[in-house]
Amino acid sequence: MFLSFILAITQFLLIVVIVFQEYRRKSIGVFLWAMLLILFGIMHLSTVIASYHDYPMWVYNYASLFVITFCMLYIITRKIFTCNKSITVCFKDKWLKVSPQSITKTQYIYIYITFCILCFCVWFRINELSKFSGSIMDTSWGSMREMSSEQNYANAGQLVTCLYCYSSSSILLFYYWKKTRMAILSGLLVFSCVIISRNRVEVLPLLVAIIAYFIYNGTNLTIKKIMMLLFIGVFSVVLIYALQIFRYYGSIYNFITNFDYHIFFDRIFTNMSEGKGDIGLREVFYYFIFHDNQFENFGEGHTYLRMLMFFIPTQWSAGLKPPDFAISMGSALGTGDAGFSTHPTLFGDCFANFGYWGALMGIVWALFVTFTDNVVNKYNSSIKISFIILYSNAYIVIGRGAVYNAFIESIGGSICILIVYKTILRFSNKRNHKIIRYDSKNRIQTEKQSTF
């Protein structure tokens, strides 16, 4: 038991160290490791300390050793590729010092085009689901899943999803440029879309925008900032569980009719205390270890083969592209539900794909985080904010274990950002950008400026 505790506390401390290192670098990877800290680091340690265990202690020890190896390789690789290199995505000046009068014409156009795209995405999602369900009041998680299953492989919804992943950055874009009312409006649009679709992932841009503001606004990690981030983290977890309970009510009409304050919050905290939902995903990882990955399609790296062939639709790949590994993992649990998928955190996904050699994926993910940091660091202000929100959302989902879906959406969102950005530059005077200023009567004035 003592050895188990030492291993568990070691993996916990290593994840904490990585979180702080990524914060100091102002890397987007901090979102990945914060998610892993919540879903695995803390919960695994509490599981080992607990007196009751669902599996033999050797399962928890192997899980600890796997994560320790993964983390050590990640730390070493990140150290090698960031040594004496400026890969930070931190803004040089505190955001509080940013003046709304310094916004260039192209930036002004970019953030409002982004907002318009967000409006279109929210309208499209709500209108599509309302038509399928009969009315807004009859929309539900079930009807949304049914609608998705009836759509063709290639459909407008896939494009809208990529546009939504990009355009939801308008929340932080407006807040950065001190346009608070527009930022609030953008946040309300995102939240309204979540209420109708019941898709909890869609609320991430709102939460990430708030967290990112505290991370990138200044460099010092004060006690006040730590407490604020902890509060936001706890609030985010409760909100995710609340949206899950809200989903169980079915339609909005049923929720309004049957809602009871005490029952609602009792279900939230009961699910949290019993380890149901996302904070129980590590249990799937333990299950795979206990059965030594002896399941169909396991140990063949299907997640990463699919990522390498992301540009080829599965049904058009002539069998070359592996099946959805999330469904393979769901089948391994033996629920009997056709199409059931599961996600065992990033650690569990690496183990399921490669067995104990999956710990070497710490090197791959360190390189991937370094790559995305460098991509973001090529751009300034507005474009950088869009990439930060896009990749932060993806890393949170990847930390949960939904690696392929997050990867695809990040690629699609990146393409959308670059298309909008390049289009604006093409139709703007590249040598004579203008700074938008406002006179005492709030009338727009402009000055020439050569930066985006």
Side-chain angles (χ1 to χ4, degrees):
M1 183 63 185
F2 178 72
L3 175 61
S4 299
F5 173 75
I6 293 299
L7 292 173
I9 196 69
T10 300
Q11 64 83 28
F12 168 75
L13 292 175
L14 282 173
I15 295 176
V16 170
V17 167
I18 294 174
V19 170
F20 277 97
Q21 284 184 344
E22 299 297 14
Y23 175 84
R24 289 180 60 191
R25 296 185 181 110
K26 298 300 181 183
S27 167
I28 312 174
V30 69
F31 287 91
L32 170 66
W33 287 95
M35 192 66 172
L36 289 171
L37 177 62
I38 295 171
L39 296 187
F40 188 87
I42 296 173
M43 300 310 300
H44 178 66
L45 177 60
S46 64
T47 299
V48 171
I49 294 174
S51 57
Y52 175 78
H53 301 100
D54 293 328
Y55 298 96
M57 285 308 300
W58 68 264
V59 172
Y60 303 106
N61 293 343
Y62 268 107
S64 295
L65 286 169
F66 183 92
V67 173
I68 289 170
T69 306
F70 187 104
C71 292
M72 289 299 297
L73 291 172
Y74 181 94
I75 291 172
I76 293 170
T77 306
R78 284 287 278 162
K79 186 67 175 178
I80 292 173
F81 284 90
T82 60
C83 183
N84 298 322
K85 293 182 180 179
S86 177
I87 59 127
T88 178
V89 295
C90 176
F91 291 79
K92 293 182 179 180
D93 298 322
K94 289 187 176 182
W95 289 25
L96 293 175
K97 296 181 180 179
V98 174
S99 171
Q101 280 106 14
S102 63
I103 185 171
T104 65
K105 182 179 180 180
T106 46
Q107 286 176 324
Y108 184 88
I109 294 171
Y110 176 80
I111 62 174
Y112 277 96
I113 286 179
T114 300
F115 175 73
C116 289
I117 293 174
L118 175 63
C119 291
F120 167 76
C121 291
V122 173
W123 170 82
F124 181 89
R125 295 295 302 275
I126 294 176
N127 181 65
E128 187 181 44
L129 187 54
S130 298
K131 283 184 177 180
F132 183 85
S133 303
S135 69
I136 289 181
M137 298 299 290
D138 292 322
T139 57
S140 67
W141 171 251
S143 61
M144 194 273 287
R145 293 292 298 270
E146 184 180 351
M147 182 185 70
S148 299
S149 65
E150 293 182 2
Q151 291 177 332
N152 295 325
Y153 183 85
N155 57 77
Q158 293 180 332
L159 174 60
V160 170
T161 297
C162 293
L163 288 172
Y164 178 86
C165 291
Y166 138 63
S167 63
S168 56
S169 63
S170 63
I171 300 171
L172 193 57
L173 280 170
F174 281 123
Y175 199 72
Y176 175 78
W177 290 110
K178 304 298 186 294
K179 298 181 182 297
T180 307
R181 291 181 180 178
M182 294 301 296
I184 293 173
L185 178 58
S186 299
L188 290 175
L189 284 170
V190 167
F191 195 71
S192 65
C193 190
V194 176
I195 293 298
I196 301 301
S197 70
R198 317 298 202 282
N199 190 349
R200 295 173 298 164
V201 173
E202 293 179 358
V203 79
L204 289 180
L206 176 58
L207 300 175
V208 167
I210 298 171
I211 296 171
Y213 176 79
F214 285 97
I215 290 177
Y216 296 108
N217 180 19
T219 57
N220 295 329
L221 188 61
T222 62
I223 297 297
K224 180 180 179 181
K225 180 177 285 189
I226 292 175
M227 296 303 296
M228 183 60 69
L229 289 172
L230 286 174
F231 172 78
I232 296 172
V234 172
F235 173 79
S236 299
V237 171
V238 174
L239 177 60
I240 294 297
Y241 272 86
L243 290 172
Q244 185 178 40
I245 300 301
F246 171 60
R247 177 191 296 176
Y248 295 157
Y249 277 86
S251 67
I252 295 178
Y253 177 79
N254 286 340
F255 175 77
I256 295 174
T257 304
N258 302 317
F259 176 76
D260 182 276
Y261 174 88
H262 298 287
I263 294 176
F264 185 79
F265 283 94
D266 180 66
R267 288 179 180 177
I268 292 175
F269 295 111
T270 298
N271 284 359
M272 291 177 64
S273 63
E274 293 179 354
K276 296 180 180 179
D278 288 352
I279 61 175
L281 292 177
R282 74 194 184 284
E283 296 289 341
V284 183
F285 181 20
Y286 301 151
Y287 181 82
F288 294 160
I289 293 176
F290 182 71
H291 291 280
D292 196 29
N293 262 5
Q294 298 302 307
F295 306 106
E296 185 179 2
N297 297 325
F298 276 56
E300 300 177 8
H302 279 186
T303 296
Y304 296 90
L305 288 174
R306 284 175 61 80
M307 289 167 66
L308 290 174
M309 294 188 285
F310 72 91
F311 53 89
I312 306 175
T314 304
Q315 63 183 26
W316 300 339
S317 66
L320 293 176
K321 190 172 183 179
D324 189 340
F325 193 57
I327 295 179
S328 297
M329 291 189 288
S331 298
L333 296 180
T335 61
D337 297 332
F340 175 75
S341 62
T342 190
H343 307 292
T345 76
L346 176 61
F347 298 138
D349 184 80
C350 289
F351 179 82
N353 272 281
F354 303 106
Y356 297 104
W357 291 103
L360 296 177
M361 294 304 293
I363 299 173
V364 174
W365 283 105
L367 293 174
F368 189 80
V369 170
T370 303
F371 171 76
T372 54
D373 281 354
N374 284 322
V375 168
V376 173
N377 203 39
K378 291 180 180 180
Y379 301 93
N380 292 316
S381 56
S382 298
I383 306 301
K384 179 178 287 188
I385 288 174
S386 288
F387 274 119
I388 287 174
I389 296 298
L390 176 66
Y391 292 150
S392 297
N393 292 338
Y395 278 138
I396 289 175
V397 178
I398 288 170
R400 186 178 181 270
V403 179
Y404 181 76
N405 290 341
F407 177 74
I408 292 300
E409 290 176 2
S410 64
I411 289 178
S414 297
I415 293 172
C416 292
I417 291 173
L418 293 176
I419 288 176
V420 173
Y421 169 58
K422 297 296 183 181
T423 301
I424 293 174
L425 286 183
R426 182 175 181 178
F427 289 97
S428 298
N429 187 337
K430 297 181 180 180
R431 295 183 179 179
N432 296 303
H433 293 298
K434 298 179 180 180
I435 294 180
I436 295 177
R437 298 189 183 279
Y438 299 87
D439 60 18
S440 59
K441 296 183 179 180
N442 206 33
R443 292 176 300 189
I444 295 179
Q445 297 178 329
T446 59
E447 293 179 9
K448 290 185 179 181
Q449 178 69 18
S450 61
T451 60
F452 180 78

